[in-house]
Amino acid sequence: MNYYYLNNNRQPNGDFEVHRVDCVHGADSSNQLGLGYFSNGIEAVAAAKQKYTNVAADINGCYYCSPESNTDR
């Protein structure tokens, strides 16, 4: 299980990205909204969408650390 967080800064394409805590493409700690431990990025993205319903449509997994949950491919 890995720890995931949501970057609270929008990406240039409008997405808020979910990252594993060890992702080199992640956000500074001041921009991380903790989500918890999950088996994969799909579970983490689903949890983020449930927790942050006002921006759920804009939440996506990181291309690098959570490719299984990235929809921009």
Side-chain angles (χ1 to χ4, degrees):
M1 303 255 302
N2 290 298
Y3 189 83
Y4 289 83
Y5 67 87
L6 182 67
N7 181 347
N8 69 355
N9 286 326
R10 282 191 188 266
Q11 300 302 300
N13 67 358
D15 286 349
F16 291 98
E17 288 186 339
V18 171
H19 294 272
R20 278 194 336 244
V21 73
D22 62 345
C23 182
V24 297
H25 299 281
D28 291 334
S29 60
S30 62
N31 295 319
Q32 296 178 9
L33 303 172
L35 297 170
Y37 289 91
F38 299 95
S39 296
N40 56 56
I42 294 169
E43 292 176 3
V45 167
K49 288 182 177 195
Q50 284 184 326
K51 187 171 185 176
Y52 301 102
T53 57
N54 58 323
V55 294
D58 298 330
I59 295 175
N60 198 4
C62 172
Y63 176 87
Y64 300 99
C65 70
S66 302
E68 69 279 5
S69 61
N70 180 277
T71 60
D72 291 337
R73 301 182 135 237

